[in-house]
């Protein structure tokens, strides 16, 4: 099992943008920066080992910070897990940032055959990604 931890406010994959003057499609800077940070964290965790080959299971925990502007009661509900981040960004956009681990943790994210993304609030924002090689077949 491999675990990548990226502390700080998590960033979901942003929609591609188009430069109206040139027609060039690009990834927003915030997304590119976060993916670079994730790639560096993944590189550090892999420690020079080759990328995994074969089917993989990926579990992600995305912890968003609790807004300080919220009333104390709402903050406590978020801390206790009874209030969850049900709005934007969508869970699948967080899952898309794992593309940054291509050719570092795995050869291609197409190897991910099972995945889960959970969103919550907490005092320690970040993204925890656990990668487990799938042994055998589903049965």
């Amino acid at each position: 099992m491999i675990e990548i931890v990226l502390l700080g406010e998590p960033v979901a994959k942003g929609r591609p943008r188009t430069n109206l003057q040139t027609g060039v499609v690009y990834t927003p800077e915030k997304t590119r920066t976060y993916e670079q940070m994730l790639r560096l964290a993944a590189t550090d965790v892999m420690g020079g080992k080759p990328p995994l080959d074969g089917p993989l299971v990926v579990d992600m925990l995305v912890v968003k910070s609790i807004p300080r502007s919220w009333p104390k009661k709402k903050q406590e509900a978020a801390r206790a897990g009874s209030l969850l981040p049900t709005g934007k960004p969508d869970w699948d956009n967080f899952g898309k940032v794992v593309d940054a681990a291509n050719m570092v943790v795995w050869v291609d994210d197409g190897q991910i055959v099972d995945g889960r993304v959970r969103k919550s609030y907490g005092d320690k924002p970040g993204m925890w990604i656990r990668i487990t090689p799938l042994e055998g077949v589903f049965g």
Side-chain angles (χ1 to χ4, degrees):
M1 180 186 59
I2 295 167
E3 188 170 65
I4 302 166
V5 178
L6 192 55
L7 297 177
E9 196 62 37
V11 176
K13 182 93 169 187
R15 292 188 186 277
R17 305 281 188 226
T18 304
N19 181 315
L20 297 177
Q21 295 169 340
T22 64
V24 173
V25 178
Y26 65 95
T27 301
E29 180 66 30
K30 189 174 181 180
T31 299
R32 281 198 321 265
T33 300
Y34 195 76
E35 286 177 333
Q36 288 170 350
M37 290 170 33
L38 180 56
R39 189 172 179 85
L40 284 172
T43 301
D44 187 47
V45 167
M46 290 303 286
K49 290 180 263 181
L52 300 172
D53 195 11
L56 304 170
V57 177
V58 174
D59 287 302
M60 295 177 66
L61 174 61
V62 176
V63 179
K64 297 179 67 173
S65 60
I66 300 169
R68 292 182 183 176
S69 61
W70 283 0
K72 291 229 184 268
K73 193 171 187 173
K74 191 172 181 179
Q75 288 184 26
E76 289 306 315
R79 219 170 258 115
S82 58
L83 177 64
L84 296 170
T86 56
K88 300 272 183 195
D90 298 343
W91 66 272
D92 62 322
N93 291 327
F94 283 114
K96 290 174 189 171
V97 298
V98 300
D99 286 351
N102 284 346
M103 294 307 298
V104 176
V105 178
W106 46 70
V107 177
D108 184 78
D109 57 313
Q111 294 169 241
I112 302 169
V113 297
D114 188 8
R116 179 179 182 193
V117 178
R118 291 174 290 147
K119 298 189 310 183
S120 67
Y121 287 115
D123 294 317
K124 187 177 178 183
M127 188 178 289
W128 286 259
I129 305 168
R130 185 173 289 160
I131 302 104
T132 309
L134 184 64
E135 304 294 334
V137 270
F138 289 105

